[in-house]
Structures are given as C-alpha cells and as structure tokens.
Amino acid sequence: MSLSQCHWFYMWVQVAEPAADQKIILSDYSSGRSGSIPLKLLDGYQGYLQTGGYEGYAAISRLPGIINQGCTRRA
C-alpha cells in the first residue's frame, strides 16, 4: 500500500488520576488536528494541560483556568 492510499488520523489522548490508585486514559481520533478539536474535547476543563508546540493548541492554552505546562519534547 502506498502513502497516497493511506488515511491519516490523529489520536488525542487525555490522562487523569482522580485518586492515587486510579488512572483514566481516554483516546479520541480525528481526521485533522485543528484547534477546534481540543476546545471541544476539553470543554469545561480547568487545570494543567501539557501539549506539543503545535500552534493548534494555542486557543485552548489561552482559556481562563488552563495552566499550560508546555512541551517536554522541546524542553
């Protein structure tokens, strides 16, 4: 199969630890990585957010209550 025959999807992963002995991992898939996707997935969320350096994350990072932890890959 050639790359032109492939369909590209992006995985959005959310991890939470509501208690020391609990971990929740949610995976969502999308055909794009528009900034509207994290806005939808994290609607109402407040707290720490770790993202990559992609500009599509800028809108969610500017919302009140979001504390952006930056990108560890480029740290």
Side-chain angles (χ1 to χ4, degrees), residues 54-69:
Y54 174 61
E55 182 62 25
Y57 304 126
I60 189 88
S61 298
R62 289 191 295 264
L63 291 178
I66 298 292
I67 304 163
N68 193 333
Q69 298 297 291

Side-chain angles (χ1 to χ4, degrees), residues 32-52:
R33 59 182 204 159
S34 157
S36 65
I37 297 166
L39 287 171
K40 179 181 172 188
L41 292 174
L42 298 171
D43 183 40
Y45 173 76
Q46 291 190 350
Y48 294 101
L49 179 66
Q50 185 165 9
T51 65

